[in-house]
Amino acid sequence: MLKLLRPAVTRILTPLGTALARRGVSPNTVTALGTLGTAASALFFFPQGWLFTGTLVITFFVLADLLDGVLARLGGTGGSTWGAFLDSTLDRVGDASIFAGLTFWCVLSGQMVLAGVAMFCLVAGAMVSYVKARAEGLGLSCDVGLVERPERLLIALVAAGLSGLGVPYILGVGLWLLALGSAVTVVQRVLHVHRQTTADGVPAGTAADRESDER
């Protein structure tokens, strides 16, 4: 569903992207500012219990994840290798900030079990992304999984926002579902990679491949 909505959101953002491009704003600048805004908002609003306000502000900055792509296309480049690397790296920073903010809120409000679930979501989300990146770095495909980044953000932000509006138990339900979905996704991706590496004619990788991640 989220992938179907992406073209519509892109069309909405195109006029803003055009205005920014005319002023010489680069996609990488938008990426960096979006991440900074997301991290600052999550770590400021969520620990204080301002979940609804925080969700609105974070959602605004998350849109920069689409706006930088619009700017890249308007510039006629379609993006650069450095831009793609920066975008993926800063996505992890933004995501971690959201779940760290929720973890702080749970701790400060005495919900220690839910704080652990939120921290698990942070770690599992990083693992979901890492498994895919590592697999693709070895020349394998890893486009599988129940819960990818857009779904993680949607579930977390909707649950936080509704909780901020006073809907009972919704944050706990959202985080538990997200934790389960993220764990399932990690297992799906690991098994998918395992099937590829054990198939006939697929090299198992060299010692250098195995050790490169240790550096």
Side-chain angles (χ1 to χ4, degrees):
M1 183 180 70
L2 293 175
K3 292 180 180 179
L4 294 176
L5 291 176
R6 190 181 184 98
V9 175
T10 299
R11 285 194 297 272
I12 294 172
L13 292 176
T14 296
L16 176 58
T18 301
L20 292 175
R22 288 173 179 169
R23 288 165 173 76
V25 178
S26 72
N28 294 342
T29 299
V30 173
T31 299
L33 290 176
T35 299
L36 179 62
T38 296
S41 301
L43 296 176
F44 175 75
F45 290 109
F46 282 170
Q48 299 189 69
W50 300 342
L51 300 185
F52 182 71
T53 301
T55 297
L56 291 180
V57 177
I58 290 168
T59 300
F60 171 80
F61 284 111
V62 165
L63 290 176
D65 190 45
L66 295 177
L67 184 58
D68 58 5
V70 172
L71 274 170
R73 285 189 292 275
L74 290 172
T77 63
S80 64
T81 300
W82 164 245
F85 171 81
L86 182 66
D87 184 56
S88 295
T89 301
L90 293 184
D91 279 349
R92 308 288 83 75
V93 175
D95 294 357
S97 299
I98 290 172
F99 289 104
L102 290 174
T103 300
F104 287 141
W105 160 241
C106 292
V107 170
L108 293 174
S109 60
Q111 304 177 75
M112 301 308 295
V113 173
L114 196 57
V117 177
M119 183 59 66
F120 179 85
C121 289
L122 190 161
V123 175
M127 280 298 299
V128 168
S129 300
Y130 173 78
V131 171
K132 180 177 180 178
R134 183 62 174 143
E136 292 179 345
L138 295 172
L140 303 170
S141 69
C142 199
D143 291 321
V144 298
L146 179 65
V147 179
E148 297 186 290
R149 183 175 184 259
E151 288 78 16
R152 290 199 304 273
L153 287 178
L154 180 64
I155 294 171
L157 293 177
V158 168
L162 291 178
S163 179
L165 289 175
V167 179
Y169 309 115
I170 189 64
L171 182 60
V173 171
L175 289 178
W176 276 105
L177 287 176
L178 185 55
L180 177 61
S182 297
V184 169
T185 302
V186 171
V187 173
Q188 286 178 307
R189 290 188 169 183
V190 169
L191 292 176
H192 182 71
V193 171
H194 181 262
R195 284 193 292 269
Q196 292 177 80
T197 57
T198 56
D200 292 339
V202 177
T206 65
D209 288 333
R210 294 173 182 273
E211 295 172 2
S212 63
D213 195 56
E214 301 292 330
R215 302 190 186 102

